[in-house]
Each structure stands twice: as C-alpha cells, then as structure tokens.
C-alpha cells in the first residue's frame, strides 16, 4: 500500500503541470476520436461498466466450466458469502473516495459486534439497545480515525494502521478472547442474528443480510451522487485545495466520512453475527484487505475522487464468484487467492490507464 | 477615479510571514467600486499571498481588512464569499472529475427542499451564464479535466461572476488563454467595471495592466513599492518599479 499512497502528491503535481503544458495542443486536437479515446471516455463516464462486464463474463465462464455453479443454491451462496465484505467495502469506498484508506474496518466491525453481543447476552440489555450502542461505538471509532486524520493531520494509512492495533487489542480485552456462542445469542437476543435469516423464492435463498447490503449500497450511492455532502466528498478526494478554496469544510466533511464508515462497519458487525451465527473476537481478520480488493476491482481510484459504491459491491461479488467457482472447479485454495491478486493488479493498471485518459 | 466614494476594500498594513520570511510586509492597498487595481511584481513578490488573505486562503499575521469601511475578519474562503468577494485562482481551483455545473456550484449547491441536489436547475443556470461568457461552450456533461485550458478558465470565471460578486480577485486570469479569449476577458472586465464591481487584477504583463487597470500597485520582495495611476506612468516607469523597486521621479516628490 505504501507504494501506492506515497507517489500520490508528486504525481498530482506532475499532472497539474502537465495540464498546463497540454492546453494549447488540446484545444486543437478535439477531433481526435479514435476508438481508444471513445472507449476511455465511455469507461470514465460509466466506471461501473467494467466490474459489471467482468461479473457477467465470470459468471458465464464458471457456469460453463464448473459443476453446479449455475444453480440457485450456488449463486445464493456466493451472495451470502460476500455480504460482510460487501458492507465493509461500502464503508471502504467512502474512505478511498477521499483519497484515504481505512485498515481498521475489520477491527471496528468485530469490536462493535462484540459490544452488541456482550451487552445483550452477558448484561441482558434489550437487543435493540445493545445494537444501538454497538452502532454508536462503531461510529465513534470511525470518528476517532477522522479526528486523527484531520486535526492531527496524520496520513490515513498510518492512522488506521495504529487504530487497527488499538481496536484489535480492545476487542481481545473486552471479549476476554472468548466467543459468544450462537446458542446463547439465540436464547437471549435472536434479533442479533436477524441478518442471517433467509427469504426463499424459486430455489434462491437470500439472507436479509444480502438485502441489507443492496439497500445500503443504494442509499450510499444516492448520498454520494445526489446530495451536497456526496459532492463535497468527491471534490475533496479529487482536489483538496480546490475543495478548500470552494468553501467546503474539508475537516468536517472528512470526519463525517470516517464516522459514517465506522457506523457502516458496525452495521457490518451486526450482519456478520447473523452470517456466522455466533460472535468471535478472532473472526473477519481478512476483511480489511478483502474490502480494499473489492473497492479496487470495482473501479474506484485509490487516488480519490473517482469511483462508485455500486462498483465496490460488484467487486466483492466478483471475488466471491471467483472463489466459489474455482473451488467448485476443483482448484486449490491458493490459486483462488492468486486469481484475486491478478484481478486487483489488472484493475489498478486499468485505473492508471484511465487517469491518463483525460481527453 | 471617483475617489469621492468610500473605498470598497481597504487592506491596511497587512503582514504575512512564512517561517520567518515576510512574504508580505506592511502593505496597504485600497479598491473603489468600479475600479480595477492591478497588482504587479515578480514571481515571489507577494502579490498572490497578499490577495489570498482577502480571499480567505491564507490568514494574515497582522494588519486590518476593511470592507465598506467596516473592519472584518476573513478566516476562510467561506467568510470571503459572505462579503461577496469572489476569486479566480491562478490554479483555477476546479475539481477535475466533476463537470462544469458541479464545479460552478461547488460548496454552494442548489438543493431541493428535501435536501437533494437540484441538478436540473444547476445545469440550467450554468448554461445561462456560460452562454454569456463563452457561447461556444458545449461540454456541460464532461469532467472539467476533459476541457481545454480556455474552457476551464471560463468555468472558473463563471463561478466567480455568477454569485453577484462585489469584489473580484483575478489571479493571472489570462495566463492560459489565447489572444481571442484574452480579449473576451478584457471585455468582461470592462463590463463588470461598469456594473460597479471592484477588481483586483494580478498580472505579470505590464502592457495588459496598463490597458485594463485604473491604478497599479507594484510589489517587490513583499513590500509595496507604490500605487500609481496607470495614466500617469509609462510602461517603462512600471517596469522600473517592478525591477528596481523605485517609484518614478515625477511622482515621487
């Protein structure tokens, strides 16, 4: 990661310089409409096209070559598997759109779900209250990240690397490294497992968690594209100086983004409890990197200001399709990871190509 | 100029230092309605820095800013906007991935009663103002990174003009423009002047300042060399002020 965040500033400055140098030529070269230009422009305008196409192609591919892939059961399973990653990827998208990164998402998720579980199971709080408190603490942890990024002015990578350790320690301390058993939760606070419940239609078994993911993604998409807040988030990631000079309250907006992302992660913790059926302090360790993978495959630029939350959800599903498809095709675990790694590299290379495609 | 009126802006004894180096050292300039004051000087003379404490991008260390005779505190660009001060930055300050309308209304979006962006209205307003400033402008739905230098400039100008500015700051507005577009900016300045705006024009080009401005303030090494009426000096006089930091002799007395 550090290699991706470090050259950000010199690159931007370099590009700013390029813009100036290019201008005279640009005004005369407008008619240069080669196929590559048209393609680049289309992909820039509709950034979710690529993940959508990749998803369709990969589903068709595994449908043709992997046994039992193209069945309602398998497809439902893929969706179920990506629920938590997808929700966290929505939060991660918000952060990455501001040209930041959040390595603490997984720890926030687990700590929030432990708070929900312990308060309702061990302390007998009504589930509604326990969940609300868990969500509050998720938002609080995100807010803490945001304060460190804006007020103390530390790079998001470093801040969240630090809080990753802090929140991880807190979750082990608070849970005393013990899981909360599914049977206990079912007895005292079944609503904690709500998002694991299923609705069936025509062989498909969709959990409420999947529905929640789709609703959440729709909501955040709407906020990003149709509210002033969303536009400010995009502008800050795009060009913080321009955003500041335009009168946008950068710090306030950034803190709200981190806090909102924390809230979404806590919500992901609730969904994770339903997905697994119990709450473990050592689960979901890899969701940090998985969420970044999903965001990048979904076409959101790590340099900020460009991307889509819908793409991130598609990115999460693509990884799920590859993992499930390859395992149904009898491919070993490590080749599944290999494939996910290749997807990331291709996605970032594509993003770089698009960044150069300003014409 | 009509010095009988009250000045629109008075910058009094402004000082800004960066790490011990005084970028602006005890500079006082004023601006009257319907007047264009040029700010001249080398790179690093402190022109942009001086003007950025009026636009809210920097905070002054000492001195006073008066708007219509009232002492005001400008701590950020929002404060500046609330006094109807608009700025066209040298860097344009556009968000590259957003389209013209989004940039025009950035930080001041028109929203519906339910809090949603009123994109139709913002685009209609953008089309209206662009029709006036740059009738050939067509790329309303493309990110501004896809625009030419002149088109980007016209978006930045539109943003400053649209919100009924009373005080306009232009930091090298013609730096990226061709001769035709430069002419359009000159005409725009004349028009805005007639409407009674006060304009600070930062420029390198002595010739342009002589043409467009009523008065010129020359800075060197953070200090004010002098403020002169452009009709009373020659281009050579201005150059001497910029390069040697010396006021012309017939005015110095």
């Amino acid at each position: 990661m550090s290699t991706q965040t470090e050259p950000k500033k010199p690159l931007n400055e370099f590009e700013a310089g390029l813009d100036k140098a290019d201008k005279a030529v640009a005004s005369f070269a407008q008619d240069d409409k080669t196929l590559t230009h048209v393609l680049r422009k289309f992909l820039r305008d509709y950034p979710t096209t690529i993940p959508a196409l990749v998803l369709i192609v990969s589903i068709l591919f595994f449908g043709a070559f992997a046994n039992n892939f193209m069945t309602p059961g398998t497809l439902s399973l893929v969706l179920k598997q990506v629920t938590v990653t997808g929700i966290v990827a929505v939060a991660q998208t918000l952060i990455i759109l501001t040209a930041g990164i959040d390595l603490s998402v997984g720890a926030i998720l687990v700590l929030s779900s432990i708070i929900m579980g312990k308060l309702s199971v061990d302390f007998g709080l009504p589930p509604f209250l326990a969940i609300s408190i868990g969500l509050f603490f998720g938002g609080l942890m995100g807010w803490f990240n945001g304060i460190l990024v804006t007020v103390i002015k530390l790079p998001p990578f470093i801040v969240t690397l630090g809080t990753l350790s802090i929140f991880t320690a807190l979750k082990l301390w608070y849970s005393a490294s013990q899981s909360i058993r599914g049977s206990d939760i079912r007895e005292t606070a079944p609503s904690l497992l709500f998002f694991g419940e299923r609705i069936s239609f025509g062989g498909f078994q969709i959990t409420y968690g999947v529905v929640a993911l789709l609703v959440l993604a729709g909501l955040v998409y709407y906020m990003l594209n149709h509210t002033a807040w969303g536009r400010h988030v995009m502008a800050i990631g795009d060009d913080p100086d321009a955003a500041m000079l335009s009168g946008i309250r950068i710090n306030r907006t950034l803190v709200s983004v981190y806090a909102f992302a924390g809230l979404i992660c806590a919500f992901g913790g609730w969904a994770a409890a339903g997905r697994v059926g119990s709450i473990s302090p050592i689960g979901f360790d890899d969701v940090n990197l998985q969420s970044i993978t999903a965001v990048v495959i979904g076409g959101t630029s790590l340099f900020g200001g460009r991307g889509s939350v819908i793409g991130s959800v598609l990115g999460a599903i693509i990884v799920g399709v590859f993992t499930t498809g390859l395992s149904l095709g009898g491919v070993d675990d490590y080749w599944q990871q290999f494939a996910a790694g290749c997807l990331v590299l291709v996605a970032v290379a594509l993003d770089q190509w698009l960044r150069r495609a300003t014409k | 100029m009509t010095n009988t009126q009250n000045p629109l802006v008075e910058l009094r004894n402004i000082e800004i230092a960066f790490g011990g180096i005084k970028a602006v050292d005890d500079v006082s300039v004023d601006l009257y309605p319907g007047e264009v004051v040029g700010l001249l000087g080398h790179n690093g003379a402190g022109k942009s820095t001086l003007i950025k404490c009026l636009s809210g991008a920097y905070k002054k260390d000492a001195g006073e800013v008066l708007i219509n005779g009232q002492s005001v505190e400008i701590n950020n660009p929002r404060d500046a906007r609330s006094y109807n001060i608009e700025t066209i930055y040298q860097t344009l300050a556009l968000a590259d991935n957003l389209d013209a309308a989004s940039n025009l209304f950035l930080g001041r979006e028109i929203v519906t009663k339910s809090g949603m962006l009123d994109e139709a209205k913002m685009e209609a307003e953008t089309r209206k103002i662009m029709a006036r400033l740059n009738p050939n402008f067509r790329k309303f739905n493309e990110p501004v990174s896809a625009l030419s230098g002149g088109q980007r400039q016209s978006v930045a100008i539109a943003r400053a003009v649209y919100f009924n500015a009373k005080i306009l700051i232009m930091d090298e507005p013609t730096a990226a423009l061709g001769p035709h577009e430069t002419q359009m900016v000159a005409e725009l300045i004349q028009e805005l002047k007639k409407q009674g705006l006060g304009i600070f024009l930062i420029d390198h080009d002595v010739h342009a300042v002589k043409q467009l401005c009523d008065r010129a303030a020359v800075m060197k090494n953070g200090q004010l060399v002098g403020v002169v009426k452009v009709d009373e000096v020659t281009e050579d006089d201005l150059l001497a002020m910029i390069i040697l930091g010396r006021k012309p002799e017939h005015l110095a007395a």
Side-chain angles (χ1 to χ4, degrees), chain A residues 41 86 133-134 141 188 202 253 256 271 275 337 348-349:
Chain A
K41 183 175 154 14
I133 293 173
M141 287 183 265
T188 49
T253 309
S256 75
R275 161 87 184 84
Q337 286 211 339
V348 174

Side-chain angles (χ1 to χ4, degrees), chain B residues 7 9-15 26-30 50 60 62-66 69 71:
Chain B
V9 183
E10 287 173 82
L11 299 171
R12 282 189 193 160
N13 311 105
I14 303 292
E15 277 180 32
D26 195 27
V27 173
S28 301
V29 182
D30 53 5
L50 171 70
K60 61 183 175 356
E64 205 181 0
V65 178
L66 288 89
S71 177

Side-chain angles (χ1 to χ4, degrees), chain B residues 21 25 29 40 43 65 77 87 90 140 161 180 210 234 247:
Chain B
I21 297 167
D25 187 3
V29 182
L40 279 165
N43 285 332
V65 178
T87 311
Q90 201 174 359
F140 287 97
V161 176
H180 176 68
K210 193 107 169 59
T234 62
K247 262 188 115 169

Side-chain angles (χ1 to χ4, degrees), chain A residues 25-357:
Chain A
V25 186
S27 54
F28 292 101
Q30 292 298 319
D31 298 320
D32 191 12
K33 293 253 185 222
T34 63
L35 185 64
T36 334
H37 277 100
V38 175
L39 184 66
R40 275 179 172 178
K41 183 175 154 14
F42 181 78
L43 292 180
R44 275 184 74 90
D45 291 351
Y46 303 97
T48 43
T49 321
I50 297 174
L53 281 177
V54 171
L55 181 59
I56 292 167
V57 170
S58 55
I59 288 176
L60 292 177
F61 176 83
F62 288 115
F65 294 105
N67 287 333
N68 292 326
F69 183 82
M70 210 61 125
T71 61
T74 308
L75 294 176
S76 312
L77 180 72
V78 170
L79 282 179
K80 200 171 90 180
Q81 278 174 341
V82 304
T83 310
V84 176
T85 311
I87 291 174
V88 176
V90 170
Q92 190 71 261
T93 310
L94 283 169
I95 306 278
I96 290 182
L97 279 175
T98 67
I101 194 123
D102 193 339
L103 302 176
S104 68
V105 281
I108 295 179
L109 176 141
V110 176
L111 184 48
S112 308
S113 69
I114 290 170
I115 292 173
M116 293 176 193
K118 275 197 85 90
L119 288 182
S120 53
V121 174
D122 292 2
F123 296 92
L125 253 61
F128 166 75
L129 196 59
I131 290 165
S132 304
I133 293 173
L135 291 174
F136 169 78
F137 272 98
L140 189 69
M141 287 183 265
W143 176 84
F144 184 62
N145 280 336
I147 291 293
L148 289 176
V149 168
T150 54
V151 179
I152 320 282
K153 298 200 186 305
L154 302 174
F157 182 88
I158 301 300
V159 165
T160 56
L161 188 66
T163 53
L164 165 65
S165 290
I166 293 172
F167 298 154
T168 304
L170 287 178
K171 88 185 175 191
L172 292 175
W173 162 73
Y174 186 60
S175 65
S177 298
Q178 284 180 334
S179 300
I180 302 167
R181 281 182 304 178
S183 53
D184 291 344
I185 301 175
R186 263 190 300 281
E187 234 169 68
T188 49
S191 51
L192 259 181
L193 304 178
F194 169 76
F195 287 114
E197 285 171 33
R198 295 167 191 167
I199 12 175
S200 307
F201 53 94
F204 284 94
Q205 290 200 313
I206 304 291
T207 59
Y208 283 110
V210 174
V211 178
L213 166 63
L214 299 179
V215 171
L216 176 73
L219 176 78
V220 173
Y221 173 85
Y222 201 78
M223 288 173 70
L224 278 174
N225 289 283
H226 297 288
T227 67
W229 178 82
R231 190 148 287 171
H232 296 174
V233 171
M234 300 299 261
I236 289 171
D238 193 343
D239 188 337
D241 290 335
M244 188 272 285
L245 295 176
S246 303
I248 292 173
R249 294 175 164 90
I250 296 204
N251 283 2
R252 189 187 288 193
T253 309
L254 275 179
V255 170
S256 75
V257 167
Y258 279 87
F260 186 40
L263 180 69
I264 294 174
C265 291
F267 179 74
W270 183 12
R275 161 87 184 84
V276 181
S278 62
I279 296 172
S280 158
I282 53 167
F284 295 99
D285 260 353
D286 44 4
V287 79
N288 285 334
L289 296 181
Q290 280 176 353
S291 69
I292 297 170
T293 305
V295 171
V296 170
I297 292 176
T300 294
S301 170
L302 284 169
F303 298 95
R306 194 157 45 79
S308 145
V309 68
I310 305 297
S312 302
V313 174
L314 294 176
I317 299 176
I318 290 170
V319 175
V321 165
F322 265 73
T323 315
T324 308
L326 288 174
S327 80
L328 282 178
V331 179
D332 281 324
D333 266 8
Y334 38 81
W335 291 117
Q336 297 168 20
Q337 286 211 339
F338 187 92
C342 292
L343 280 175
V344 169
L345 293 179
V346 170
V348 174
L350 195 68
D351 174 55
Q352 288 289 25
W353 183 66
L354 288 176
R355 271 162 60 78
R356 286 193 292 270

Side-chain angles (χ1 to χ4, degrees), chain A residues 15 19-20 23-24 26-27 30 33 41 44-45 222 224-229 231-232 234-235 238-239 241-250 304-306 357-359, chain B residues 56-57 77-78 81 89-98 101-102 106-109 111 115-117 119 122 139 141-143 145-152 159 176:
Chain A
E15 285 200 340
D19 264 0
K20 270 175 215 147
K23 273 159 192 167
S27 54
Q30 292 298 319
K33 293 253 185 222
K41 183 175 154 14
R44 275 184 74 90
D45 291 351
Y222 201 78
L224 278 174
N225 289 283
H226 297 288
T227 67
W229 178 82
R231 190 148 287 171
H232 296 174
M234 300 299 261
D238 193 343
D239 188 337
D241 290 335
M244 188 272 285
L245 295 176
S246 303
I248 292 173
R249 294 175 164 90
I250 296 204
R306 194 157 45 79
T358 39
K359 288 272 72 55
Chain B
R78 280 188 312 286
R81 284 179 170 185
Y89 292 97
Q90 201 174 359
T91 55
L92 303 185
L94 299 174
D96 274 348
N97 292 323
L98 299 179
S102 305
L106 193 59
R108 293 181 275 201
E109 290 80 3
V111 290
M116 296 299 146
L117 292 173
E119 292 186 63
M122 285 193 277
K139 295 185 165 180
N141 295 316
E142 299 201 30
S145 60
L147 308 184
S148 72
Q151 289 168 332
R152 290 162 61 89
R159 174 165 67 176

